[in-house]
Amino acid sequence: MSFSQIGVVGLGIMGAGIVEVFSRAGYQVVGVAESAAAVEAGKSNLTKSLARAVSKGKLTQDQSDEISARVLFGENFDLLANCDLVIEAAPEILSLKVEIFSKLDAAVKPSGILATNTSSLSVTQIANATSRPAKVIGMHFFNPAPVQKFVEVISTAHSDPEVVAEVIELGNSLGKHLARISDQPGFIVNKLLLRYLNHAVQILDSGQASKEQMDAAMREHSGYPMGPCELLDLIGIDTCVEILKTIHADTKLAIDEPAVGMVELVSSGKKGRKTGSGFYDYSERLDAPTDSNEAVKSQVHNDLLIAYLGDCIAMEATGYATKADIDSGMKLGCGLPEGPFEVIEKMGIEKVRSAQAELSERTGVVAYQPLPL
Ligand code: NAD
């Protein structure tokens, strides 16, 4: 199958980024959102991102104009009729996605592939809302979509292997690294990332460390591009709460229950950068958080890192994902400088296991215990 026209539904943080990925690669793109205001916001997201690329010398003004000219924006799903692939990037709410897929099924030509950018929801349940479940898959881009190179391709029991292969080929042609996985809550990266982010807010809620201490700790001790509270603000705290609810419904573990600090911010409308504030206030440009309390930073760094490495070991042990895909996902999807198995290799597995046992004993959280050998 050759892809020429790509549709994107939902034009927020991710949808606008996915529009940019495909229009930059030369595809005709149709971007649809539910209201004129949402379409305008999507257009403005794309315009701002392209203007940044021009100002950094990554694109010429002519290239930017050509990219914009390849995109048609609108509110009507009928605009998507001739798309070969439509990627949905609407809010992380199952009932909303089910409704959108039923509308897409009616609007898009029968040969069109329908993909969801969901971070955690059941692709199978979304596929069941259509008359073409064999042509429905997950295509999970990372934020910012034009920058992060990793894409998770989620197949269900219904998925046609040819459809999956075609989408993987398309993703590779965009210069992305694709990992194929089955339909489990949070897939590879979000299952690991969201538990780490939630852990950070649980520490914050308990008063053991400030957001600046945690953010500085992960930047300075592990070289992460941003700390957990900064990253929550970038992703959108509302989206993170929804992903955690899905993961928690599956695992039933207290460590996956959305931390109170996050839920309260969402209730007060502070969803992160997209609303102007979250853990931090974005009314003016912020410097990277710093803190001089080395003892607290060292402790939270240890606790966040060890719990996360334990989760990575457990994920690989279940056979859900390979070490290579987990390492690629965390590096190319989240911009981490090293994959978790590279970190484990450097630290030595015995040191990681004894740190897991110490963390579990000190906190009383059984899930932090090392796996039996
Ligand atoms: P967002 O809130 O920034 O954007 C959501 C968009 O969907 C908005 O444009 C909104 O107007 C539109 N929308 C709402 N209702 C709609 C409807 N009925 N029909 C069409 N459009 C509708 O959210 P986001 O962060 O871009 O997340 C979108 C999806 O991508 C979610 O499933 C999320 O889990 C996933 N995702 C998010 C990130 C991230 O870092 N934010 C990363 C990867 C995947």
Side-chain angles (χ1 to χ4, degrees):
M1 174 171 186
S2 70
F3 294 88
S4 55
Q5 199 176 79
I6 309 290
V8 180
V9 174
L11 299 170
I13 298 176
M14 292 309 294
I18 296 168
V19 165
E20 184 176 336
V21 167
F22 283 98
S23 54
R24 272 187 180 221
Y27 292 93
Q28 295 298 319
V29 182
V30 182
V32 170
E34 79 289 8
S35 65
V39 170
E40 273 317 307
K43 262 190 209 173
S44 144
N45 283 346
L46 177 66
T47 309
K48 280 188 210 150
S49 177
L50 292 176
R52 268 196 307 275
V54 171
S55 72
K56 286 183 185 166
K58 291 185 178 164
L59 283 178
T60 64
Q61 189 56 50
D62 283 352
Q63 286 170 322
S64 163
D65 293 345
E66 282 167 21
I67 292 166
S68 303
R70 279 196 282 272
V71 188
L72 171 69
F73 286 104
E75 288 165 63
N76 195 331
F77 274 50
D78 290 342
L79 295 172
L80 301 162
N82 287 320
C83 288
D84 304 300
L85 166 71
V86 178
I87 302 167
E88 164 275 322
E92 189 74 349
I93 300 166
L94 183 62
S95 55
L96 177 63
K97 292 195 190 277
V98 162
E99 188 191 317
I100 290 175
F101 269 74
S102 146
K103 278 169 72 182
L104 284 175
D105 195 30
V108 179
K109 63 183 180 185
S111 60
I113 298 171
L114 307 180
T116 173
N117 189 48
T118 180
S119 302
S120 60
L121 297 170
S122 162
V123 180
T124 309
Q125 276 178 272
I126 294 170
N128 286 344
T130 72
S131 63
R132 59 179 103 180
K135 289 188 184 298
V136 177
I137 57 159
M139 197 175 183
H140 183 226
F141 288 80
F142 289 82
N143 183 9
V147 176
Q148 306 292 18
K149 296 274 176 243
F150 198 63
V151 177
E152 291 171 325
V153 174
I154 301 107
S155 55
T156 73
H158 302 299
S159 302
D160 176 347
E162 256 180 51
V163 166
V164 178
E166 282 161 0
V167 167
I168 289 179
E169 202 182 315
L170 172 70
N172 286 332
S173 76
L174 299 169
K176 302 286 187 192
H177 178 108
L178 284 88
R180 184 185 168 169
I181 40 171
S182 61
D183 192 14
Q184 290 192 18
F187 317 123
I188 300 176
V189 174
N190 277 322
K191 176 129 189 192
L192 299 168
L193 182 70
L194 267 292
R195 188 178 274 178
Y196 152 77
L197 296 175
N198 203 36
H199 187 184
V201 186
Q202 286 165 342
I203 292 175
L204 182 66
D205 288 349
S206 72
Q208 290 170 61
S210 67
K211 57 182 189 256
E212 290 84 1
Q213 284 164 341
M214 272 185 298
D215 287 345
M218 298 317 288
R219 280 173 173 274
E220 292 163 16
H221 292 258
S222 272
Y224 286 9
M226 50 180 76
C229 297
E230 296 172 277
L231 185 54
L232 280 156
D233 279 352
L234 178 79
I235 297 172
I237 306 168
D238 55 332
T239 300
C240 292
V241 167
E242 291 306 324
I243 299 171
L244 280 161
K245 283 187 199 164
T246 307
I247 295 174
H248 180 244
D250 181 52
T251 66
K252 315 270 191 308
L253 292 174
I255 53 172
D256 293 326
E257 199 169 344
V260 175
M262 260 191 258
V263 176
E264 283 178 350
L265 283 172
V266 174
S267 309
S268 61
K270 295 182 173 184
K271 298 179 186 171
R273 285 191 195 196
K274 64 183 171 186
T275 56
S277 69
F279 287 96
Y280 295 98
D281 181 354
Y282 295 89
S283 52
E284 53 192 61
R285 199 180 161 79
L286 289 177
D287 292 330
T290 54
D291 192 274
S292 58
N293 190 330
E294 297 304 328
V296 172
K297 285 195 293 184
S298 170
Q299 183 71 64
V300 290
H301 172 260
N302 172 79
D303 292 5
L304 290 171
L305 179 69
I306 294 302
Y308 155 67
L309 294 180
D311 287 337
C312 297
I313 293 168
M315 178 178 278
E316 195 261 346
T318 62
Y320 181 59
T322 62
K323 286 180 190 168
D325 279 345
I326 296 173
D327 274 354
S328 300
M330 300 317 288
K331 287 196 289 187
L332 303 175
C334 303
L336 303 190
E338 290 175 303
F341 289 98
E342 293 167 338
V343 176
I344 293 167
E345 192 74 31
K346 272 196 199 159
M347 282 179 74
I349 185 68
E350 278 316 316
K351 194 169 167 200
V352 175
R353 288 176 62 81
S354 60
Q356 283 182 278
E358 187 278 327
L359 177 65
S360 176
E361 197 176 319
R362 176 162 43 84
T363 58
V365 178
V366 177
Y368 295 153
Q369 275 177 7
L371 290 181
L373 277 172

